[in-house]
């Protein structure tokens, strides 16, 4: 019997797959419309969207780092501690070597990422356990090195005694404001898209997450490759730390607490499966922006912070439930 248009199912597997691809865009549109309806001009004002544009870049860069790792089928929950460590080393570098010392923060992030990759690849310890241990170790190192104190970035001299460590770097503070921080984030996002979508390295990222054994069969040294992936992700965290230093105006031992969960949530909201093999830079940007908008909208609406966390958790579960392709998952553990 020939199938007619009327008898054809409305939701075919092809249409369901296409719908999944648009989930991040549908989600952010609904979120914007919802908060627009609730808060009106307070939410849609230029001032508020300027604030959102200042808040999103750090999370977006951390989400890029997480995206690289998650695409390979691993995870990195040490990026919050790495953010604090890299920012403090960057601030110390500026104290010791002047403005050029900020690069020390980026290199510090890459070093932590490389250590993660070495432990995971050579000792065969799962990424969750390795990065959990590194989260604890690196945070402790920051507290020890800093002695619990902060280093401030200022636009001039600081009054209040010699016990205050500060660096006069007005150029860095200006980078943390709109529109400079938005432009910087856009440039990094463009380079990340090219790196992830248009290079052999990006293709190998997805290949490792899809089927690591196949990559070994074609002669790729997966052990070395994983070290490179975690090192590259660490460098991105180091860059995010420098951006956060510019935005916050201080390097503190408490910086980045629990932000690793936000980065994972941004990647998941962007439709990237935590099992690896697939990812999208554009959708990750949408995921990070959605997370920032939800936090911002709930604050404007007067929702207490604890209930905001509940709302974000529900949003994350809903996004994963809709975007997950269950036909490719044999067992849920």
């Amino acid at each position: 019997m020939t199938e007619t248009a009327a008898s054809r199912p409305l939701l075919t597997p092809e249409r369901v797959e296409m719908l999944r691809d648009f989930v991040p865009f549908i989600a952010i549109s609904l979120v914007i419309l919802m908060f627009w309806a609730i808060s009106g001009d307070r939410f849609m004002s230029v001032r508020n969207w300027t604030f959102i544009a200042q808040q999103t870049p750090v999370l977006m860069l951390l989400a890029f780092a997480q995206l690289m790792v998650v695409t390979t089928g691993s995870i990195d929950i040490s990026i919050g501690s790495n953010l604090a460590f890299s920012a403090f080393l960057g601030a110390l570098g500026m104290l010791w070597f002047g403005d050029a010392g900020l690069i020390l923060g980026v290199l510090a992030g890459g070093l932590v990422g490389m250590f993660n990759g070495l432990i995971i690849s050579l000792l065969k310890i799962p990424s969750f356990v390795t990065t959990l241990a590194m989260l604890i170790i690196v945070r402790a190192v920051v507290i020890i090195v800093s002695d619990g104190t902060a280093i401030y970035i200022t636009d001039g001299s600081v009054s209040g005694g010699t016990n205050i460590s500060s660096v006069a770097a007005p150029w860095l503070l200006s980078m943390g404001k709109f529109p400079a921080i938005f432009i910087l984030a856009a440039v990094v996002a463009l380079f990340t898209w090219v790196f992830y979508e248009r290079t052999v390295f990006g293709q190998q990222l997805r290949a490792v997450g899809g089927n690591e054994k196949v990559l070994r069969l074609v002669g790729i040294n997966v052990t070395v490759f994983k070290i490179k992936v975690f090192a590259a992700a660490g460098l991105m965290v180091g860059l995010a730390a420098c951006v956060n230093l510019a935005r916050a105006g201080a390097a503190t031992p408490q910086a980045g607490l629990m932000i690793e969960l936000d980065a994972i949530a941004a990647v998941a909201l962007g439709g990237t499966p935590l099992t690896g093999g697939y990812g999208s830079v554009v959708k990750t940007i949408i995921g990070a922006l959605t997370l920032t908008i939800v936090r911002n909208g709930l604050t404007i609406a007067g929702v207490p912070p604890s209930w905001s966390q509940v709302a974000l958790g529900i949003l994350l579960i809903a996004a994963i439930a809709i975007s997950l392709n269950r036909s490719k998952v044999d067992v849920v553990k």
Side-chain angles (χ1 to χ4, degrees), residues 22-91:
F22 287 99
V23 166
F25 303 98
I26 296 171
I28 193 172
S29 299
L30 292 176
V31 164
I32 291 172
L33 289 173
M34 180 181 69
F35 286 120
W36 191 3
I38 293 172
S39 302
D41 292 340
R42 285 188 301 158
F43 175 74
M44 293 301 292
S45 66
V46 173
R47 180 181 178 183
N48 188 51
W49 280 95
T50 299
F51 180 75
I52 291 172
Q54 287 180 296
Q55 292 291 104
T56 305
V58 173
L59 176 57
M60 185 188 76
L61 297 182
L62 293 176
F64 287 161
Q66 196 68 255
L67 174 66
M68 285 188 275
V69 173
V70 168
T71 303
T72 65
S74 299
I75 199 164
D76 185 355
I77 60 173
S78 68
I79 61 175
S81 296
N82 194 3
L83 179 83
F85 177 72
S86 300
F88 201 86
L89 264 289

Side-chain angles (χ1 to χ4, degrees), residues 129-151:
V129 177
T130 298
T131 57
L132 174 62
M134 196 63 73
L135 177 151
I136 299 168
I137 293 169
V138 174
R139 182 69 67 179
V141 169
V142 175
I143 294 172
I144 292 168
V145 171
S146 67
D147 196 25
T149 62
I151 299 176

Side-chain angles (χ1 to χ4, degrees), residues 125-188:
I125 299 175
S127 59
F128 179 84
V129 177
T130 298
T131 57
L132 174 62
M134 196 63 73
L135 177 151
I136 299 168
I137 293 169
V138 174
R139 182 69 67 179
V141 169
V142 175
I143 294 172
I144 292 168
V145 171
S146 67
D147 196 25
T149 62
I151 299 176
Y152 296 93
I153 308 299
T154 70
D155 55 5
S157 60
V158 174
S159 60
T162 57
N163 61 329
I164 297 178
S165 297
S166 65
V167 180
W171 66 271
L172 185 59
L173 291 177
S174 66
M175 286 298 297
K177 298 176 182 177
F178 186 86
I181 192 171
F182 178 81
I183 295 170
L184 175 63
V187 171
V188 174

Side-chain angles (χ1 to χ4, degrees), residues 44-327:
M44 293 301 292
S45 66
V46 173
R47 180 181 178 183
N48 188 51
W49 280 95
T50 299
F51 180 75
I52 291 172
Q54 287 180 296
Q55 292 291 104
T56 305
V58 173
L59 176 57
M60 185 188 76
L61 297 182
L62 293 176
F64 287 161
Q66 196 68 255
L67 174 66
M68 285 188 275
V69 173
V70 168
T71 303
T72 65
S74 299
I75 199 164
D76 185 355
I77 60 173
S78 68
I79 61 175
S81 296
N82 194 3
L83 179 83
F85 177 72
S86 300
F88 201 86
L89 264 289
L92 274 181
M94 294 180 74
L95 274 175
W96 295 337
F97 309 114
D99 293 345
L102 184 64
I103 193 67
L104 190 62
V106 180
L107 296 178
L111 185 64
V112 173
M114 187 181 70
F115 274 123
N116 280 332
L118 284 168
I119 295 169
I120 292 165
S121 300
L122 299 181
L123 300 183
K124 307 299 181 184
I125 299 175
S127 59
F128 179 84
V129 177
T130 298
T131 57
L132 174 62
M134 196 63 73
L135 177 151
I136 299 168
I137 293 169
V138 174
R139 182 69 67 179
V141 169
V142 175
I143 294 172
I144 292 168
V145 171
S146 67
D147 196 25
T149 62
I151 299 176
Y152 296 93
I153 308 299
T154 70
D155 55 5
S157 60
V158 174
S159 60
T162 57
N163 61 329
I164 297 178
S165 297
S166 65
V167 180
W171 66 271
L172 185 59
L173 291 177
S174 66
M175 286 298 297
K177 298 176 182 177
F178 186 86
I181 192 171
F182 178 81
I183 295 170
L184 175 63
V187 171
V188 174
L190 179 60
F191 276 102
T192 304
W193 181 85
V194 172
F195 177 76
Y196 187 88
E197 303 285 354
R198 292 291 184 266
T199 65
V200 174
F201 190 88
Q203 294 172 0
Q204 291 175 345
L205 279 174
R206 289 183 282 276
V208 169
N211 194 330
E212 185 176 316
K213 293 180 180 178
V214 172
L215 208 60
R216 293 183 187 276
L217 291 175
V218 298
I220 303 297
N221 189 326
V222 177
T223 298
V224 173
F225 182 75
K226 284 186 175 180
I227 295 172
K228 291 180 180 178
V229 170
F230 275 90
L235 288 172
M236 185 64 77
V237 174
L239 180 58
C242 294
V243 175
N244 190 61
L245 183 61
R247 187 178 62 83
T252 67
Q254 294 79 29
L257 282 172
M258 302 298 288
I259 201 171
E260 57 273 351
L261 301 183
D262 285 350
I264 295 170
V267 171
L269 285 170
T272 299
L274 300 183
T275 49
Y278 168 80
S280 168
V281 171
V282 173
K283 292 179 183 177
T284 299
I285 295 171
I286 297 299
L289 187 56
T290 301
L291 202 62
T292 305
I293 290 172
V294 169
R295 288 189 185 280
N296 173 268
L298 290 172
T299 301
I300 291 176
V303 177
S306 54
W307 283 104
S308 296
Q309 294 298 106
V310 172
L312 288 167
I314 293 172
L315 176 64
L316 179 59
I317 292 173
I320 294 175
I322 295 170
S323 62
L324 180 65
N325 189 345
R326 290 166 182 78
S327 64

